Amino acid sequence: MYPAVVSALLFSIGVYGVLARRNTILVLMSVELMLNAVNINLVAFDVWLADALHSGQVLTLFIIVIAAAEVGLGLAIVLALFRNRQSVDLDRLRSLAEPADQDEPADQDGPAAQPGADNGARAPAALDTVTSPQLTTRGNGACDQDGGTPQPGHPATRGGSA
């Protein structure tokens, strides 16, 4: 009886933490609380039912392994987000687009100029333009020596023809 009550309380605290918190680390900790509540239930019911195979305990070990992998992957994602955004606040991480640079003016023709569009998002580069500076400089094999025109079929000319 008592393990089920403790498990229900832990699971409730975990659900509250996931729904109410905005810090990514605290949300991950709340998910861990929920997984531990499930583990307590599995072990308690395994003992209560006197399972000969101890299925609840074996499943608990699998959940612990999965939780450890989830923590490692989750913290790696949080560190990458913090390096890019300087914040782990979930409200600021709603958009998957890269944050716009402060010194670049907004493109008036792009999606940022449309009403209701996310002003922090950058328009993707067109697929038919060369964006790499190594492919646009002369003398790297992308242009012939006399006129500077791209060679047909070369990677610098997208589509294979000039």
Side-chain angles (χ1 to χ4, degrees):
M1 170 81 179
Y2 292 116
V5 172
V6 170
S7 174
L9 286 174
L10 275 178
F11 196 84
S12 300
I13 292 170
V15 167
Y16 173 75
V18 167
L19 296 177
R21 300 293 178 176
R22 294 294 167 236
N23 190 337
T24 311
I25 306 268
L26 293 177
V27 170
L28 285 174
M29 288 174 59
S30 299
V31 169
E32 291 298 320
L33 275 177
M34 291 167 48
L35 287 173
N36 286 330
V38 170
N39 286 341
I40 290 172
N41 258 344
L42 284 171
V43 171
F45 281 107
D46 182 52
V47 170
W48 183 58
L49 295 174
D51 185 17
L53 295 176
H54 300 291
S55 303
Q57 294 177 20
V58 171
L59 191 55
T60 298
L61 289 176
F62 281 115
I63 290 175
I64 290 171
V65 169
I66 290 171
E70 178 248 338
V71 165
L73 185 63
L75 288 178
I77 291 171
V78 167
L79 284 174
L81 284 172
F82 184 76
R83 285 181 184 165
N84 288 337
R85 304 288 178 96
Q86 282 73 38
S87 173
V88 290
D89 189 16
L90 288 177
D91 286 335
R92 294 183 183 179
L93 301 176
R94 295 287 182 197
S95 174
L96 292 177
E98 293 181 12
D101 293 334
Q102 299 297 334
D103 56 335
E104 291 182 13
D107 186 16
Q108 298 302 322
D109 298 332
Q114 298 173 357
D118 185 16
N119 290 334
R122 242 190 274 169
L127 292 177
D128 59 344
T129 60
V130 177
T131 56
S132 174
Q134 287 83 16
L135 293 176
T136 58
T137 57
R138 188 174 171 169
N140 62 356
C143 303
D144 55 329
Q145 298 298 323
D146 57 340
T149 58
Q151 295 287 334
H154 194 276
T157 60
R158 311 268 174 139
S161 60

